Amino acid sequence: MNKPHKSDATSSHPAAAGQYTPLKLDEDALRKAATANLDDGAVTPGYGPWREDIIKLLNDALATELVCVLRYKRHYFTAQGMESPAIADELLVHANEEAAHADLIAERIVQLGGSPDFRPSSLQERSHADYDESSDLRDMLHANLVAERIAVESYRQMVELIGDKDPTTRRMLEGILADEEEHADEISDWLQR
């Protein structure tokens, strides 16, 4: 068995070609960021100038989730027809999942040093999705599908806008986006029955 020459093993390594820069943290910058503005909790200067913009995006998403909870709850309690019990049960599941999204978003707003905006008087104007008072089951499903598609697009845009400016918020939004896509698929399936 022939062993490779040491020069053979290292010649393909980026360091051998002068292309290698070690991944190393800037210890001075770490200390500086960690000790500046301690009252800001987890928010370090690395969040840059976008923190307030992200909080605004999140407060609008919070309003959307809360309006969706209200719409789903209304539809859960008022759905009628032969298929309504099974669909109503799923609408309640969606309402609870939207409420969980709202909780995640509110918690993240606080982590970023903001204040979650739960004011009932402005929910509808800040929400991307509409409330709906349909009485027909098919109309309810249609309104919920439109709202879910709005949520999908708004979360997709937020993920794109935030990018690497706030990885924690981006990952949270990506998880919520996946749930909203699942909701839209389920509702679309019900409408095709």
Side-chain angles (χ1 to χ4, degrees):
M1 177 176 211
N2 292 336
K3 288 186 177 179
H5 288 71
K6 189 172 183 177
S7 62
D8 291 342
T10 59
S11 63
S12 63
H13 191 275
Q19 303 167 359
Y20 177 74
T21 303
L23 298 176
K24 185 177 175 190
L25 297 177
D26 180 341
E27 294 291 331
D28 291 334
L30 281 175
R31 296 274 173 229
K32 185 176 179 182
T35 57
N37 302 317
L38 289 177
D39 291 341
D40 290 343
V43 179
T44 64
Y47 279 87
W50 301 284
R51 187 173 60 91
E52 290 300 323
D53 292 341
I54 292 170
I55 290 170
K56 165 82 168 77
L57 289 171
L58 291 176
N59 263 316
D60 290 349
L62 176 61
T64 302
E65 294 293 345
L66 293 171
V67 167
C68 287
V69 169
L70 296 173
R71 186 187 60 255
Y72 274 125
K73 285 279 194 165
R74 183 186 185 285
H75 291 171
Y76 165 73
F77 285 108
T78 61
Q80 295 180 359
M82 289 184 63
E83 292 186 61
S84 65
I87 291 176
D89 288 346
E90 281 302 312
L91 294 175
L92 181 59
V93 169
H94 286 205
N96 292 334
E97 289 172 351
E98 304 294 1
H101 296 163
D103 290 349
L104 285 171
I105 292 167
E107 182 178 25
R108 184 63 184 151
I109 290 168
V110 171
Q111 288 172 345
L112 290 171
S115 179
D117 189 348
F118 284 93
R119 287 175 299 142
S121 62
S122 68
L123 282 180
Q124 185 60 54
E125 70 187 48
R126 291 182 295 115
S127 174
H128 302 294
D130 294 327
Y131 182 74
D132 179 73
E133 296 183 11
S134 297
S135 57
D136 177 76
L137 186 59
R138 190 160 198 76
D139 291 343
M140 289 178 186
L141 291 174
H142 182 267
N144 285 311
L145 180 56
V146 169
E148 291 295 351
R149 288 173 55 90
I150 287 170
V152 165
E153 182 60 18
S154 66
Y155 284 118
R156 188 199 63 72
Q157 286 186 26
M158 281 188 273
V159 165
E160 189 175 306
L161 283 169
I162 291 171
D164 63 355
K165 296 170 186 73
D166 181 354
T168 303
T169 298
R170 185 191 70 236
R171 282 192 305 275
M172 178 195 70
L173 294 174
E174 288 169 342
I176 294 172
L177 172 59
D179 290 346
E180 304 295 7
E181 289 173 341
E182 184 179 316
H183 292 173
D185 283 343
E186 289 173 354
I187 296 169
S188 179
D189 289 346
W190 296 336
L191 280 168
Q192 292 174 22
R193 290 181 187 173

